[in-house]
Amino acid sequence: MIRSYLKLMMSILFFYSVVFLIGGLDQFIIGYTVVGSLAVAGLVYVTREVSSQKILRFVQLYLFIAPLYNLYFFIILFRISVGNLIWFLPMSLGAFILFSRKMAIIYAAYSVLLIAAAITVLSFYGDYFNQVSFDFRNFISFTEITAFLFNGLIIMMLIKYKDKINVLRNKQLSVKPFAQPDKKSVDLIIKENEDDYLAFFEKLDEKVKGEKQFKDSNLNISKICIDLNSNATYISRAIRAKGYTNFSAYINTLRVNHVKILLQEQDLTKVTLFSIYTEAGFSNQPTFNRVFKQIEGVTPSDYIKNL
C-alpha cells in the first residue's frame, strides 16, 4: 500500500511535468518537476523487495523531504494562489496513519515552520518570485482543480490504508475470552501442525532477526502481521512451536543476545551501557535490567563483571 502511494505521487509529478512542458513554462520549473518524479520513481524502485519496516524508514525520509520540495511551488505561486497549500495536508495525515499522532504533530509543525519561513523569504524577495510565477497565471485554475482532485485521491488512499490497519487490529482484538481455546488445546493444535509452524517461524526469524527488526523499540506483533501478511494468532503459535512462551519473550531474547554480542565487541570504557541496550531495542533501563536478569539469571552489572 505504501508503494502504491509512492507510485501515485510519481504519476502525479510526471503528469504535471507533461502539462508544464506542453504549456511552454519555464525550463527550470519543468526540470524541477521531472527531477521530483524521477526521485520518487527511484524510491519506488529501491523499496520493491524490502520489508515493510524498511519501507517505513524510506517513507519517513520522504515525508521530511516532500514539504521542502513543495515549498518551491508554494513560493512561486503565493501571490496568485494559496491553493497549493493543500499539498502539505497529506504529509501530516500520512504520518498519523503510518506512524503515530505524535509523528503527525511533528510533521504538521515542520510544515508550518517551512511555510512561515517561505512567507518570510517572500517578504524580502517577493518581486523576484512574482516574476517567475507570471507564466503560471494561465494555468492557475487548472493546477488548483487538479491539486484538489489529486490530493482527494491521496487522502482516500491513506484513509483506505488506515482502514486496513484497523481491520487487522480489530481481528486481533475481536476474539472474546470464552472463544479462546485453553492452553492444552492450543498445545495440541501446535503439535499437530508443528512442521507448518516451524517453517513459518523460519520465515519470521529471517525477517525479525535476519533484518534486525528487533532493534526497533516500537516493534509489535501488529507490524509483524502486516510485514508477513499473517495474523497474531498464527505468529504466536509459530513462536510457541519454537519454544518461546510468547512474542515478547522471543523479541526480548533476541535483544538480550544482541546486547551480549555488543558487550563482547565494544570497549566498555568508551561506550555506555545505555547506548548498548538502546541499540538492541530496549527503551529504558528498568525494563532492560528486568528482562536481562530473567533470561540470563544475573543482572547486567554482574554479567559485565564476569566478562
Side-chain angles (χ1 to χ4, degrees), residues 52-67:
S52 296
Q53 173 129 358
K54 288 186 177 179
I55 290 178
L56 287 175
R57 292 175 184 171
F58 281 110
V59 171
Q60 284 181 318
L61 178 63
Y62 170 80
L63 291 177
F64 175 78
I65 295 176

Side-chain angles (χ1 to χ4, degrees), residues 33-253:
T33 312
V34 170
V35 169
S37 177
L38 293 176
V40 180
L43 190 58
V44 172
Y45 178 79
V46 299
T47 58
R48 68 193 189 283
E49 293 181 354
V50 301
S51 65
S52 296
Q53 173 129 358
K54 288 186 177 179
I55 290 178
L56 287 175
R57 292 175 184 171
F58 281 110
V59 171
Q60 284 181 318
L61 178 63
Y62 170 80
L63 291 177
F64 175 78
I65 295 176
L68 283 171
Y69 179 83
N70 291 338
L71 205 60
Y72 172 73
F73 290 106
F74 170 75
I75 290 174
I76 63 175
L77 293 173
F78 179 76
R79 293 184 181 275
I80 54 178
S81 171
V82 292
N84 62 323
L85 277 173
I86 193 174
W87 287 108
F88 291 91
L89 178 60
M91 305 301 165
S92 297
L93 180 60
F96 174 70
I97 291 173
L98 298 174
F99 302 106
S100 65
R101 181 177 299 178
K102 179 181 178 181
M103 290 298 294
I105 294 173
I106 291 174
Y107 277 108
Y110 170 61
S111 296
V112 170
L113 286 174
L114 287 179
I115 292 170
I119 293 174
T120 302
V121 170
L122 284 166
S123 66
F124 291 99
Y125 303 102
D127 291 339
Y128 169 75
F129 288 108
N130 191 40
Q131 293 174 1
V132 173
S133 63
F134 178 78
D135 289 337
F136 263 117
R137 295 181 188 276
N138 295 329
F139 289 88
I140 192 61
S141 297
F142 175 77
T143 56
E144 283 188 340
I145 292 172
T146 54
F148 278 95
L149 289 175
F150 284 140
N151 277 277
L153 186 59
I154 293 170
I155 290 170
M156 285 191 292
M157 175 178 283
L158 290 172
I159 291 174
K160 182 179 178 181
Y161 185 68
K162 180 175 183 290
D163 290 339
K164 288 182 67 175
I165 294 176
N166 288 337
V167 167
L168 181 60
R169 288 172 178 169
N170 290 336
K171 284 182 178 179
Q172 296 168 11
L173 298 173
S174 63
V175 180
K176 298 180 180 179
F178 65 79
Q180 294 178 348
D182 57 32
K183 185 178 183 300
K184 290 183 179 180
S185 299
V186 172
D187 290 341
L188 180 60
I189 294 172
I190 293 174
K191 186 175 181 180
E192 291 176 346
N193 302 275
E194 187 174 14
D195 290 342
D196 291 337
Y197 284 125
L198 289 176
F200 182 82
F201 179 84
E202 294 302 319
K203 182 180 178 182
L204 168 69
D205 201 48
E206 182 181 350
K207 286 287 182 183
V208 178
K209 181 181 178 181
E211 298 181 5
K212 298 190 184 318
Q213 292 185 1
F214 63 86
K215 295 171 67 175
D216 178 7
S217 60
N218 295 317
L219 182 67
N220 55 48
I221 200 166
S222 295
K223 291 182 179 180
I224 301 299
C225 289
I226 297 172
D227 203 13
L228 295 178
N229 193 26
S230 186
N231 59 72
T233 299
Y234 197 88
I235 290 175
S236 297
R237 290 177 181 177
I239 290 172
R240 286 182 62 178
K242 192 64 178 178
Y244 299 97
T245 55
N246 52 43
F247 177 77
S248 295
Y250 166 60
I251 297 299
N252 285 333
T253 299

Side-chain angles (χ1 to χ4, degrees), residues 14-28:
F14 180 75
F15 170 81
Y16 279 120
S17 300
V18 173
V19 170
F20 294 160
L21 179 62
I22 294 174
L25 298 189
D26 183 82
Q27 289 186 352
F28 179 81

